[in-house]
Amino acid sequence: QAFCGSHVGGVRVHAGRLNRGPPHAQCLHTMSFAASLTKIVAEKREEQKAREKLAAKWKAHEEKLLESLIDTFKKKCMREAELERCEASISFASLVREISEFPTHVIVDSQHLVENWGDGAASWWYYAHRGVTQEFVSGTPVSFAELLESMMPKFLESAQELGFQSCKREPGTWKVVASWKPPDGK
């Protein structure tokens, strides 16, 4: 027979308190509470797993968006090369407007907020970029700049893999400047 607490002189001591009454009743009540705590932990873990799946959906969606952005960036660089230039300065903010699947924004009280997530969802982005521990509240506005900022490093990493001499973000702007070697190598 197992007990949750210990007995001292016929009086059961449990969690720093004296409990009178049948030890089994107290123990069942405590086990029931402990079982409810275990259930809460299990539910929270399941919620986090579900949120991780949503985050993974955003990451897959983001990959497709980044591929489209890189393709459009390459075309713009090719246009500059056709004009015999060896550098392109392209606004990331204007680049995203050319991608039909990219989330759109609206200006509300001087703030640029994501208006339409396209084939994605705000909760997907939230869990992918802010973590899965806190629940996303539907309708919570997301700053368009925050969305762009979350994608910029990945975009730059992909762009740098294209073999440019240099490919960097202009500090304090959305401009990405890429340069390549001229034909004479100078």
Side-chain angles (χ1 to χ4, degrees), residues 73 77 80 86-92 95 152 155-156 159-160 164-171 173-180:
F73 182 74
C77 289
E80 293 300 311
C86 295
E87 182 177 277
S89 178
I90 301 165
S91 167
F92 186 65
L95 196 63
M152 178 64 96
F155 174 80
L156 283 173
Q160 289 165 347
F164 290 111
Q165 209 172 15
S166 172
C167 184
K168 297 178 183 174
R169 178 181 184 176
E170 253 182 42
T173 72
W174 292 113
K175 287 195 188 252
V176 175
V177 180
S179 63
W180 49 93

Side-chain angles (χ1 to χ4, degrees), residues 75-137:
K75 288 175 188 169
K76 288 185 174 288
C77 289
M78 287 174 72
R79 278 189 226 130
E80 293 300 311
E82 289 167 357
L83 295 171
E84 298 183 37
R85 296 184 185 132
C86 295
E87 182 177 277
S89 178
I90 301 165
S91 167
F92 186 65
S94 67
L95 196 63
V96 301
R97 287 193 291 271
E98 295 185 35
I99 309 302
S100 61
E101 304 84 26
F102 203 89
T104 59
H105 73 282
V106 64
I107 301 171
V108 178
D109 297 327
S110 302
Q111 294 182 349
H112 294 254
L113 303 174
V114 178
E115 176 185 38
N116 182 333
W117 288 89
D119 293 338
S123 60
W124 299 1
W125 177 86
Y126 179 90
Y127 294 127
H129 292 281
R130 293 194 185 161
V132 296
T133 54
Q134 296 295 316
E135 181 179 9
F136 174 74
V137 178

